[in-house]
Amino acid sequence: MTSAGLTRDFLAAHDPHALAPLDFLRARFDAGLAWVQFPEGLGGLGLPREEQSAVDEAFAAAGAPDNNPRRIGIGLGMAAPTILRHGTDEQRRRWLRPLWTGEEVWCQLFSEPGAGSDLAGLATRAVRVSDKDGDGWIVDGQKVWTSMAHEARWAILIARTDPAVPKHQGITYFVLDMTAPGVEVRPLRQATGEAEFNEVFLTGVRIPDTDRLGAVGEGWAVAQTTLMNERVAIGGGAAPREGGVIGVVTDVWRKRPELRTPALHDALLRLWVEAEAARLTGTRLRQQLTVGQPGPEGSAAKLLFARLNQEISALELDLLGEEGLRHDEWTMRRPTVVDFAGRTAGYRYLRAKGNSIEGGTSEILRNIVAERVLGLPPEHRLDKDVAWKDLPK
């Protein structure tokens, strides 16, 4: 039976208006209609990825509850594909279902104060121990720019397990219980006034070896799965025409003719065309995912997303003038989602500045596109064969 037929049968047997939302989502996962491309028993049916959009549309048309994807986007877009590809059967069964239903929120512990753009230079250490509590790791270090850490139950974490080898080789990938002793989350207040990001301090945190993803020392390869999926999730997401920030600005343009000038008209047309080209490119990128894992093309999509968001939000301020300088909220709070469309022009302008940093800085992404997409000569890297412990700190 096709996914469309299975969806109809499921909805006939599970009334979305009669069941509690969590019960409905759990049943949908168990029926294989969460990620149809995932294997059976893990929320999927082993079907082509392109069938997912029709399934999602059918559930939306029936008024079924969703899993609040904006709140659990890190789990859906980054943790889940990494667990599926590199996790054991037991790890997949343990983490994927509550991740998809939204019962357990995930965050990402990658960047550090001294290892942002040069992520492989990270200094957080994980030392292996074996004692009465079993085989495990003791982790010490600091992570930064961690979205959703204040809400998260689990984190994907990379740490250095061998400082005596070159920096890319001595990294191991873990899943961290954010409720474990020694985990401290502190808010980082941004220009918007909110503390959407956090810094996370790890002091003597124990991670059982059963919560390691991939082999010891191969964390960089595992992390590439996460990073490639992250960039697709940020820059290559599905959106209708005039979706996102460009839709907000065009709506103002249509409703407020007194604000229009010929120069603003030219600028809006240029950005509208670029936004539409980016949307169609994102559609093509998602189609390419049906035949394999995301590649460096996701970096180009994320790079374009950041530039467009910043230019469009700046145009909105030019269009609104003094009105656009008002900021709706400066109270210190810790939001659970990032909502560009539902906020003011001032918020969008300030928040868009972070788009060229989060998910890989635009400078690093340009290097990736140059080297891996265009085939240009790579940068000279003098630290490539030097042990991490011998690098200048």
Side-chain angles (χ1 to χ4, degrees), residues 73 77-78 81 108 110-111 116-120 220 223-238 282 285-286 289 294-306 355 357-369 372:
M78 299 160 60
Q108 177 194 26
F110 277 27
S111 295
S117 296
D118 181 20
L119 179 58
W220 186 252
Q224 293 312 298
T225 300
T226 304
L227 295 172
M228 293 300 103
N229 280 282
E230 176 185 23
R231 288 157 191 167
V232 171
I234 294 175
L285 178 60
R286 291 191 303 278
L289 291 179
E297 297 84 1
S299 296
K302 193 270 173 181
L303 180 64
L304 180 58
F305 166 84
N355 292 158
I357 302 173
E358 58 196 346
T361 64
S362 292
E363 292 78 11
I364 292 298
L365 296 185
R366 288 189 181 95
N367 276 357
I368 292 173
V369 171
R372 303 183 193 175

Side-chain angles (χ1 to χ4, degrees), residues 12 21 31 36 41-42 81 109 113-114 198 200 202 250-251 255 265 296 314 321 372 378:
V36 297
L42 298 175
L109 298 178
N198 304 271
V200 179
L202 308 171
T250 53
D251 187 57
K255 292 178 178 178
H265 185 235
R372 303 183 193 175

Side-chain angles (χ1 to χ4, degrees), residues 10 14-29 59 63-68 97 100-103:
F10 178 87
H14 302 80
D15 184 352
H17 304 290
L19 285 173
L22 182 55
D23 292 337
F24 183 89
L25 291 171
R26 287 172 173 171
R28 178 178 168 181
F29 182 94
F59 277 107
D66 66 19
N67 53 5
N68 198 357
R97 187 177 188 251
W100 187 85
T101 61
E103 296 170 73

Side-chain angles (χ1 to χ4, degrees), residues 229-271:
N229 280 282
E230 176 185 23
R231 288 157 191 167
V232 171
I234 294 175
R241 177 173 287 184
E242 293 192 3
V245 180
I246 192 64
V248 176
V249 180
T250 53
D251 187 57
V252 173
W253 179 269
R254 293 183 179 113
K255 292 178 178 178
R256 304 281 300 276
E258 75 277 8
L259 300 176
R260 302 173 188 169
T261 68
L264 290 173
H265 185 235
D266 288 346
L268 179 59
L269 282 177
R270 177 181 63 82
L271 290 172

Side-chain angles (χ1 to χ4, degrees), residues 43-243:
L45 298 167
L47 297 176
R49 185 188 295 260
E50 59 263 28
E51 295 196 31
Q52 185 67 51
S53 59
V55 170
D56 291 340
E57 289 170 6
F59 277 107
D66 66 19
N67 53 5
N68 198 357
R70 290 192 303 166
R71 180 171 181 263
I72 61 172
I74 293 173
L76 294 175
M78 299 160 60
T82 308
I83 293 168
L84 179 66
R85 186 172 182 184
H86 299 281
T88 64
D89 290 340
E90 182 179 354
Q91 289 170 336
R92 295 176 187 137
R93 287 192 298 269
R94 164 63 186 88
W95 286 317
L96 289 178
R97 187 177 188 251
L99 181 158
W100 187 85
T101 61
E103 296 170 73
E104 295 178 343
V105 177
W106 288 64
C107 67
Q108 177 194 26
L109 298 178
F110 277 27
S111 295
E112 300 182 4
S117 296
D118 181 20
L119 179 58
L122 62 90
T124 293
R125 287 293 313 275
V127 178
R128 195 159 197 167
V129 294
S130 183
D131 53 26
K132 61 181 179 60
D133 295 320
D135 194 12
W137 301 80
I138 301 298
V139 182
D140 292 276
Q142 180 186 356
K143 299 292 182 175
V144 75
W145 310 125
T146 309
S147 301
M148 299 302 295
H150 55 289
E151 296 271 322
R153 172 66 172 80
W154 296 99
I156 45 179
L157 163 74
I158 49 177
R160 187 161 305 283
T161 51
D162 187 353
V165 297
K167 59 184 182 181
H168 291 86
Q169 300 174 25
I171 295 171
T172 302
Y173 197 115
F174 301 95
V175 170
L176 169 68
D177 182 351
M178 290 292 288
T179 67
V183 178
E184 180 186 1
V185 178
R186 300 180 189 174
L188 284 174
R189 198 174 189 195
Q190 300 149 241
T192 60
E194 301 174 345
E196 170 197 332
F197 299 121
N198 304 271
E199 53 185 346
V200 179
F201 294 85
L202 308 171
T203 307
V205 180
R206 188 181 183 107
I207 300 178
D209 191 56
T210 52
D211 290 352
R212 168 172 49 84
L213 282 185
V216 175
E218 295 184 7
W220 186 252
V222 181
Q224 293 312 298
T225 300
T226 304
L227 295 172
M228 293 300 103
N229 280 282
E230 176 185 23
R231 288 157 191 167
V232 171
I234 294 175
R241 177 173 287 184
E242 293 192 3

